[in-house]
C-alpha cells in the first residue's frame, strides 16, 4: 500500500538540517519507486494496451500523409 503521508514526512525531514539517515534514504527511494510504478500502472490500465496506441498513431500518421 502506498503511503503518501510517509513520502511527504521523509521529504520534509530531508529539508531539515538533520536530514535523512541512510535507512530513511533507502525507504524514501523505495516508496517513491512504488508510487511511480503505481501511477504508471493506473495510467496504462486507463489508456488500454500499448498495441492499440501504436496502431492508432499509425492510422493518424497515414491520414496526415493522405491530406
Amino acid at each position: 500500500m502506498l503511503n503518501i503521508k510517509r513520502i511527504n514526512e521523509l521529504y520534509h525531514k530531508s529539508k531539515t538540517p538533520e536530514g535523512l539517515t541512510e535507512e530513511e534514504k533507502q525507504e524514501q527511494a523505495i516508496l517513491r519507486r512504488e508510487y511511480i510504478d503505481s501511477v504508471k500502472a493506473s495510467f496504462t490500465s486507463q489508456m488500454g494496451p500499448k498495441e492499440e496506441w501504436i496502431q492508432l498513431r499509425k492510422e493518424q500518421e497515414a491520414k496526415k500523409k493522405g491530406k
Side-chain angles (χ1 to χ4, degrees), residues 3 9 21 23 25-26 29-30 32 37 55 57-58:
N3 194 337
E9 289 172 356
T21 65
E23 292 81 19
K25 288 178 184 178
Q26 291 174 356
I30 291 168
R32 285 179 172 175
D37 291 346
Q55 182 62 34
R57 183 68 180 158
K58 287 179 182 178

Side-chain angles (χ1 to χ4, degrees), residues 44-58:
T44 301
S45 70
Q46 291 177 22
M47 300 309 290
K50 182 178 177 182
E51 294 78 18
E52 289 180 15
W53 284 95
I54 292 170
Q55 182 62 34
L56 179 62
R57 183 68 180 158
K58 287 179 182 178

Side-chain angles (χ1 to χ4, degrees), residues 6-43:
R6 182 64 177 152
I7 292 170
N8 288 332
E9 289 172 356
L10 291 169
Y11 167 77
H12 290 293
K13 185 176 179 192
S14 74
K15 298 299 178 183
T16 65
E18 175 187 326
L20 298 175
T21 65
E22 285 304 314
E23 292 81 19
E24 289 170 329
K25 288 178 184 178
Q26 291 174 356
E27 178 186 7
Q28 184 182 46
I30 291 168
L31 290 172
R32 285 179 172 175
R33 174 50 43 204
E34 288 175 355
Y35 176 77
I36 291 168
D37 291 346
S38 172
V39 170
K40 285 181 179 180
S42 176
F43 179 79

